[in-house]
Amino acid sequence: MYKIRIKESFLFLILTFSTIILILAFSAYLKDKYKREKPLDFIKTSYVQLVFPSYQKTPVKNLKTQLETDACDMMILDYTWFGVKAIAFTNNFFEEIQVNRTNEPYHNSDENVAIVNQNRVEELCYQEHGATYLYKQGVAYKVIGTYVDDKDDPLFQIPFYLSIDAKGLQDNRYYDRVILVPKETDKLMELEQLARDTYPNAEIGIMDGTEGFLSLADTQAALIGICGILLSMNCIGFLVSWILAQRQEVGVRRMSGATFKDIYRLIRKRFYILFFCAYVTGGIITELLFVCLRNTKQLDSCRYLFGTALSPWAVLITGACIWLIGAIVLESSLKRIKKTGMLGNIRGYHETIFM
């Protein structure tokens, strides 16, 4: 009986860890393959996007001179890898993102100024002569305001905005793309044609208000899934061992007059109770992992892969997969026990279902 309990404990642990790993794998796989979002939430229309070859990027001052026409409502420089934007600091823009202005004076449009996500001020800024500064790419930008970007995942929050008119930004060529928003919808084609005529070597297109970038979530989910499958193979071995460890009990019950139907019902009941307890335990542990993901700033890459909440579909699919594997192995093992015979079960012959 002691050996059966030991095997049962190990089987419970393996079922629990299999549940956790497979839920994480399915959570990663079921996430959107493309992250769909606007470059800025308040952009209401389609826009023109310019992507330059890295060796042909033009300074910011040239972009402003050549592309800021009557057809252009706003120009946005997107530093994709840092999540940073450069844009004209206007009253309308401040209202859109609800900027909380500081007491720092801001008189000339060409001053090196920035506004910073309130959640990132301590991390990104420093104090000097009673003012707050942000130092980027060799330029110190005075922080003249803060805003709140409270997206669930910090990976998609904008850490700060730079003034596109700042003196220190005019010779900058490190942006990843240029976004031109038309003043009116019917100005979109005019703006696109202007961009094509001015920069024929750039990749230019009209975007529909959302953007997408390819995720490696499928590949990463597959790797995690493989780990789950390998763990499930151990689960099969322990399940067989646990079932066959009960053969002596089966033989004794048969001698006491119990039918195979009664014995099968008992073993099935034991397995399904064990499976249900492990499944619930695995689900609870996985939910706790997601709580840690949501509340640990340093785990933003994990949030991007797995999401920020437990997926009901991932839980259901995981349960179905583990239950199906367990049911197949269980029924095969029970048939093997029946073929062994009463005396063979009492003596505890060490056979497996694969013999």
Side-chain angles (χ1 to χ4, degrees), residues 28-36 215 217:
Y29 182 77
L30 293 173
K31 281 195 80 226
D32 291 337
K33 296 179 183 179
Y34 292 85
K35 177 65 182 179
R36 306 293 296 179
S215 167

Side-chain angles (χ1 to χ4, degrees), residues 14-30:
I14 292 175
L15 283 170
T16 300
F17 282 109
S18 297
T19 299
I20 295 170
I21 292 176
L22 288 177
I23 287 177
L24 290 175
F26 283 119
S27 294
Y29 182 77
L30 293 173

Side-chain angles (χ1 to χ4, degrees), residues 101-233:
R101 286 293 306 275
T102 64
N103 294 324
E104 295 300 328
Y106 173 46
H107 303 296
N108 302 317
S109 62
D110 62 348
E111 289 184 44
N112 293 328
V113 292
I115 54 175
V116 181
N117 187 347
Q118 189 171 312
N119 301 325
R120 307 288 296 277
V121 172
E122 293 185 5
E123 173 190 348
L124 299 173
C125 303
Y126 66 94
Q127 299 289 324
E128 187 174 281
H129 305 303
T132 304
Y133 288 89
L134 172 76
Y135 189 81
K136 283 296 172 184
Q137 297 179 335
V139 180
Y141 295 89
K142 182 185 287 187
V143 177
I144 62 169
T146 60
Y147 61 95
V148 176
D149 187 348
D150 55 0
K151 292 186 181 71
D152 190 48
D153 192 341
L155 189 65
F156 300 112
Q157 294 178 7
I158 298 176
F160 58 89
Y161 291 92
L162 300 176
S163 170
I164 200 171
D165 300 313
K167 290 181 291 188
L169 200 64
Q170 298 313 297
D171 293 320
N172 187 284
R173 300 171 185 255
Y174 299 112
Y175 52 84
D176 294 293
R177 61 175 177 163
V178 180
I179 295 170
L180 303 175
V181 181
K183 287 187 175 179
E184 299 174 5
T185 305
D186 58 2
K187 298 288 185 181
L188 185 64
M189 301 301 295
E190 178 184 337
L191 204 55
E192 181 198 23
Q193 190 59 50
L194 172 63
R196 292 189 183 280
D197 292 340
T198 308
Y199 299 109
N201 294 326
E203 183 180 332
I204 299 171
I206 294 178
M207 309 299 287
D208 63 358
T210 60
E211 60 181 353
F213 56 85
L214 185 62
S215 167
L216 296 177
D218 281 0
T219 302
Q220 293 165 325
L223 293 175
I224 299 170
I226 289 172
C227 294
I229 291 172
L230 292 175
L231 190 58
S232 297
M233 295 301 292

